Amino acid sequence: MTDFIIKYRWIIVAVSFTLAIGIGLLIPSSETDPDIRNYIPEHMDSRVTNDSIEKEFGVQDMIMVLFTDTTILKPGDLRQVREIDRAFSRMDGIGTVNSVFTARKIEGIDGMMVVDPLIDRIPESAEGLESLKQDILANDFARDIVISSDMTSAAITGTINTNVSEYETLTKVDSVIAASSGDAQILTGGLPYIRKYITSDVNHDAVILIPLALIIMLTVLKLSLGEWRSVFIPFTVVILSTLVTMGMIPLCGWKFSIIMCLAPIILISVANNYGIYIVSRHQELRRSGTPMTGRETVRAIIGTLNMPILFSGLTTVAGLLGLLAHSIIPARYVGVLSATGVSLALAMSLLLIPVLIYFQHSPGMKPPPPLRQRNDLISRAIARISSVVVKRPGRVLLVSIGLTLLVGIGAFFLRIETNQESFFPQKHPVRKAAGIINTKFGGSQTISVMISGDIKDPVVMNGIDDLTGYLKGLEGVGSVFSISDVVREMSKALYEPEEEEYDMIPSSGEAIAQMFELYNMSGDPDDFKQLMNFENTKAHLLVRLSQTDNETVRNLKDEIKSYTENFPAKVTIGGYAFIMNDFAQKIINGQVSSLVFALITVMILLAIIFRSVRGGLTGSIPLAASIIIQFGVMGYTGIPIDAATALLSSIMIGVGIDFTIQFLWRYKIELANDASHTEAIITTFRTTGRSIVINALTVMAGFSATFISGFLSIRYFGYLTIVSIASCLIYAVIVMPAFMLYFKPSFIEANKKPNIIKQ
């Protein structure tokens, strides 16, 4: 192997840099996908049913412009609302517009139905404004829909026209809002704006977090390894593998998403692991004081580290490939990207880094100077830890088991979160807008119920009316819009309160049809196109949710299914809220499947490495404990399982197992060299133990860049990664050595030295 590396050293360098630069040039062509619906398979039931509803009644994604003031019923504020409403109606990118100026009031005059605008002219007097207030409070199609009951907020909603670029539409909306004048504070919300902010924040994270992670990594390497020549060797591998990983996104035809932002961060944090072991071994050889040529140095490094690094890399790749079993599409992409990047970093560590070290010893180059024995903070801390572990292994095991179980209890408080609004911090404009929508306008997430049949049949219409009333009484429902409410409102205009037909569904289809004909004489037939199609064969119930947690949505779905079991027409249940609810289940399934796949794969690899099934199970102890700790911390702190944190377990398995393999491999070598268990542990602590600590610190430092992400879920991922890697480190360098000293398992003891291929 040494001869191969030295013979083809220039080819290795050329291939490494050419591959990275060639693929890295594709990075500027990357695009962003902000729609979380694209994270889940198209064949998922909730997506299929929702697509069928949107095909009939149009896309339900709505822009919401919110106006807030101490009282919104001021002439200046109303003129501001009207100005933006008129601008919306002229935009090609916006379909149906709903505001206080498009709302209608249905009245009966001389036995006829009259449909007038809710606001014909903006009142200027206090009496006129008070009269308008009473009209709004009495109008079921205006109160808490376009004006809040407390008169402090107004809303304009506009459906998105998918034939026009959403980016172009939102840009025009922002321009209109910026040019408007008035005292009201304006906020924008709705799914289109959530997607807009996701796009901008993803791009911000890509531009800020990746360079920041590289700077942090470079700093930690300098503090840990000391000299710059030792720092740049593993850092070169980080840069090259990260370029390839990011360039693969457009190369494969994929798009950046919230989740995929993690792929380069993972690479930056993990790709230097193997290089650190090699550089640390190089420094160890230089401290020995024995003069060595470049060839001898490379042979000495590869002879002791080739196999453990190879096995560590394979287990890391296996853990990351566990994400392929995930049902969330970008999670699979992250698995492929991360596994590919780590594989490339592994190959470069075993080939390119030895070449770079060889160059330092080449004729004509000033050889690296000998190094003094270290007595830094890390070395002193390791010495103290090894002393405690050697003296009291049983107590160390007992305390660690107790603490792990205590923290693990928190797992019973775990929750799942799929609401896109929760991706953003509390002070983010998305969260502020969502707060107003949820408290004053019925909610930002929706459920759609489509009824297929003869809608003007009184039996069907009464069924719709019963379902509407039932839904309004359910917990978590903010408001319900249905065609039956329209019919009942029209009946109020045609009949007096004392008459039996007042506020009722007519008893014949002809009477229902006549009501709509009367409405169309003074109203617009398009007013209700989102509630009933023109053929009168399909009706649409639009349910806004005031509570969007997964349990509430799941209960609502069950309630609707149960209530409509004997419905007189076909019922189709869809809506964005149900898609997100199914997304939550996909997260759970993906978490379990990827976790099981990664654990089994890693245990098999460990069993092969140590040539023992018991060795595979023993080596997996730190992983199992770290997973328990991770879920426990999430439960105690309230950090939910979401699209980002669901990836953590597989990533932790891939990265965390590295520490255990390196420690046990060196420990096994020392035992094979006739050292006692105590001597082997102390030597392993002093040599490989230090490299493990440096590795863990650099991984944690790399992920700390996520702390300034624009997304809460990415920040949570960073926090939890540090907790998980720290627990893997503690188990690898404290608990596992104590386990070895206390139980002295047979698989770790060898009658002869491990097979090391002669280089």
Side-chain angles (χ1 to χ4, degrees):
M1 186 70 175
T2 301
D3 294 336
F4 174 86
I5 290 173
I6 294 174
K7 181 179 179 180
Y8 296 104
R9 58 189 180 278
W10 290 111
I11 294 177
I12 292 171
V13 172
V15 170
S16 298
F17 280 85
T18 302
L19 179 67
I21 295 172
I23 297 180
L25 289 173
L26 299 174
I27 294 174
S29 63
S30 299
E31 297 180 7
T32 302
D33 182 7
D35 195 344
I36 201 169
R37 283 178 289 193
N38 294 332
Y39 293 10
I40 50 184
E42 292 182 358
H43 61 267
M44 194 175 70
D45 290 344
S46 57
R47 278 200 68 176
V48 172
T49 55
N50 190 71
D51 289 346
S52 68
I53 295 173
E54 290 190 341
K55 184 178 180 181
E56 188 66 41
F57 291 101
V59 176
Q60 299 305 306
D61 292 0
M62 292 183 292
I63 294 172
M64 296 193 71
V65 180
L66 307 168
F67 305 79
T68 61
D69 204 343
T70 51
T71 174
I72 206 69
L73 294 186
K74 295 193 297 188
D77 288 348
L78 291 173
R79 280 192 286 271
Q80 189 176 16
V81 175
R82 184 179 62 186
E83 178 185 352
I84 295 177
D85 173 87
R86 288 176 175 175
F88 273 25
S89 65
R90 294 191 295 267
M91 287 186 193
D92 294 334
I94 296 181
T96 304
V97 179
N98 192 23
S99 78
V100 69
F101 289 95
T102 62
R104 300 287 184 260
K105 57 180 178 180
I106 305 173
E107 298 177 302
I109 300 177
D110 298 329
M112 294 296 294
M113 185 188 303
V114 177
V115 182
D116 288 323
L118 180 60
I119 302 179
D120 187 30
R121 182 177 299 173
I122 295 176
E124 299 290 338
S125 66
E127 294 79 7
L129 292 171
E130 178 61 28
S131 175
L132 174 59
K133 176 181 177 180
Q134 297 307 318
D135 285 346
I136 292 171
L137 291 175
N139 193 318
D140 291 338
F141 301 106
R143 185 185 67 253
D144 295 330
I145 296 174
V146 294
I147 297 280
S148 62
S149 295
D150 60 6
M151 302 297 151
T152 61
S153 302
I156 300 176
T157 61
T159 57
I160 285 289
N161 181 353
T162 55
N163 295 323
V164 178
S165 164
E166 186 172 286
Y167 174 81
E168 180 183 338
T169 300
L170 295 182
T171 301
K172 290 181 179 178
V173 170
D174 290 340
S175 298
V176 167
I177 292 173
S180 69
S181 58
D183 296 330
Q185 179 187 5
I186 301 179
L187 292 171
T188 51
L191 289 175
Y193 269 97
I194 289 178
R195 288 194 287 267
K196 174 192 171 184
Y197 282 116
I198 287 177
T199 299
S200 62
D201 287 358
V202 163
N203 294 335
H204 171 272
D205 278 7
V207 171
I208 301 297
L209 297 191
I210 294 173
L212 177 61
L214 288 171
I215 293 171
I216 292 173
M217 186 62 58
L218 190 64
T219 304
V220 173
L221 287 174
K222 179 63 173 70
L223 293 174
S224 304
L225 298 175
E227 53 184 358
W228 283 111
R229 70 169 70 202
S230 295
V231 169
F232 284 125
I233 290 176
F235 193 70
T236 300
V237 172
V238 171
I239 295 292
L240 297 180
S241 57
T242 303
L243 283 174
V244 172
T245 301
M246 294 186 65
M248 280 182 61
I249 296 175
L251 180 65
C252 296
W254 300 338
K255 295 182 179 181
F256 255 103
S257 64
I258 296 175
I259 298 176
M260 290 178 69
C261 279
L262 294 172
I265 302 297
I266 292 169
L267 255 295
I268 292 170
S269 304
V270 175
N272 60 34
N273 283 12
Y274 317 113
I276 289 175
Y277 290 121
I278 293 174
V279 170
S280 295
R281 175 60 175 157
H282 184 215
Q283 291 183 335
E284 186 183 332
L285 292 172
R286 289 163 58 194
R287 288 192 189 93
S288 68
T290 304
M292 302 177 74
T293 65
R295 185 180 297 271
E296 290 170 341
T297 301
V298 171
R299 179 175 285 113
I301 291 172
I302 293 178
T304 54
L305 291 179
N306 201 21
M307 295 307 291
I309 286 178
L310 178 62
F311 284 129
S312 293
L314 291 176
T315 51
T316 300
V317 170
L320 294 171
L321 287 178
L323 293 173
L324 290 177
H326 217 292
S327 50
I328 300 176
I329 295 172
R332 303 174 195 168
Y333 297 163
V334 170
V336 172
L337 293 171
S338 302
T340 302
V342 169
S343 298
L344 184 62
L346 174 63
M348 288 183 179
S349 297
L350 295 176
L351 297 174
L352 179 62
I353 289 181
V355 169
L356 298 178
I357 291 175
Y358 175 78
F359 285 156
Q360 292 185 7
H361 294 266
S362 297
M365 292 286 293
K366 184 179 179 180
L371 295 177
R372 294 178 298 175
Q373 295 296 325
R374 282 189 174 273
N375 189 32
D376 55 16
L377 180 62
I378 294 177
S379 299
R380 294 196 301 270
I382 288 174
R384 291 174 184 172
I385 291 171
S386 64
S387 176
V388 173
V389 170
V390 168
K391 290 179 181 178
R392 301 180 180 87
R395 188 173 298 179
V396 169
L397 287 176
L398 188 62
V399 171
S400 63
I401 292 171
L403 289 176
T404 300
L405 293 177
L406 182 63
V407 175
I409 293 173
F412 292 102
F413 308 110
L414 271 174
R415 62 186 181 88
I416 300 171
E417 180 61 76
T418 55
N419 189 349
Q420 283 181 279
E421 296 160 4
S422 64
F423 291 170
F424 301 93
Q426 288 290 344
K427 294 182 179 180
H428 196 282
V430 166
R431 294 292 288 269
K432 291 181 179 179
I436 295 173
I437 296 170
N438 292 335
T439 56
K440 297 182 183 293
F441 295 103
S444 57
Q445 286 204 34
T446 59
I447 291 174
S448 292
V449 182
M450 184 169 71
I451 311 297
S452 302
D454 183 1
I455 304 304
K456 291 185 177 179
D457 182 340
V459 175
V460 176
M461 187 65 76
N462 273 293
I464 295 173
D465 191 52
D466 291 341
L467 178 59
T468 301
Y470 178 72
L471 290 174
K472 288 179 179 179
L474 292 179
E475 183 180 359
V477 173
S479 59
V480 183
F481 308 94
S482 77
I483 196 65
S484 68
D485 279 342
V486 176
V487 173
R488 293 180 70 133
E489 195 68 22
M490 289 191 289
S491 73
K492 293 179 184 179
L494 295 175
Y495 300 98
E496 297 298 326
E498 61 272 11
E499 294 183 87
E500 186 179 349
E501 294 86 354
Y502 182 84
D503 195 16
M504 294 293 292
I505 303 296
S507 57
S508 70
E510 291 78 8
I512 296 175
Q514 188 177 19
M515 279 187 171
F516 280 99
E517 289 176 7
L518 291 172
Y519 181 92
N520 293 340
M521 291 175 67
S522 56
D524 189 341
D526 284 345
D527 286 346
F528 310 115
K529 65 181 181 181
Q530 283 194 305
L531 301 179
M532 185 173 68
N533 65 1
F534 290 116
E535 297 79 18
N536 307 322
T537 57
K538 288 182 171 62
H540 180 211
L541 277 74
L542 188 63
V543 184
R544 285 188 179 180
L545 304 182
S546 58
Q547 298 177 30
T548 56
D549 59 280
N550 290 297
E551 184 178 357
T552 298
V553 175
R554 190 165 49 250
N555 290 339
L556 284 172
K557 188 174 184 178
D558 293 339
E559 292 279 0
I560 296 172
K561 280 186 175 181
S562 175
Y563 192 83
T564 58
E565 197 169 298
N566 298 313
F567 202 81
K570 180 183 177 182
V571 178
T572 305
I573 306 171
Y576 192 77
F578 286 152
I579 291 178
M580 291 298 96
N581 191 253
D582 281 359
F583 183 48
Q585 189 60 49
K586 291 292 183 184
I587 287 177
I588 297 174
N589 296 341
Q591 177 88 37
V592 173
S593 57
S594 61
L595 197 57
V596 170
F597 175 85
L599 275 173
I600 292 175
T601 305
V602 166
M603 278 193 284
I604 292 172
L605 285 172
L606 287 172
I608 294 172
I609 292 170
F610 296 112
R611 300 179 182 179
S612 166
V613 174
R614 186 177 298 177
L617 293 172
T618 302
S620 301
I621 290 175
L623 292 180
S626 297
I627 291 170
I628 293 172
I629 291 170
Q630 171 201 321
F631 287 140
V633 170
M634 292 176 72
Y636 282 130
T637 59
I639 295 177
I641 297 177
D642 61 20
T645 57
L647 312 183
L648 185 58
S649 297
S650 293
I651 293 171
M652 183 190 66
I653 288 173
V655 177
I657 192 61
D658 174 67
F659 308 147
T660 302
I661 291 176
Q662 294 293 335
F663 196 97
L664 293 183
W665 187 272
R666 183 59 181 260
Y667 177 54
K668 187 177 177 72
I669 289 177
E670 296 301 325
L671 288 177
N673 289 329
D674 295 327
S676 67
H677 282 277
T678 300
E679 292 170 341
I681 286 291
I682 292 174
T683 302
T684 303
F685 263 114
R686 190 180 66 251
T687 55
T688 303
R690 186 176 186 281
S691 301
I692 291 172
V693 172
I694 293 174
N695 246 322
L697 291 177
T698 55
V699 171
M700 289 188 281
F703 279 108
S704 68
T706 60
F707 294 175
I708 64 168
S709 170
F711 302 103
L712 277 180
S713 54
I714 301 297
R715 296 183 197 176
Y716 291 155
F717 180 89
Y719 303 151
L720 292 171
T721 299
I722 290 179
V723 171
S724 300
I725 297 301
S727 60
C728 284
L729 172 65
I730 291 170
Y731 260 80
V733 301
I734 297 179
V735 181
M736 285 305 292
F739 182 91
M740 293 295 147
L741 288 174
Y742 193 82
F743 291 104
K744 298 180 175 62
S746 58
F747 78 88
I748 203 68
E749 299 192 47
N751 297 324
K752 59 179 181 179
K753 294 184 179 181
N755 292 328
I756 300 175
I757 300 173
K758 298 297 182 184
Q759 307 298 320

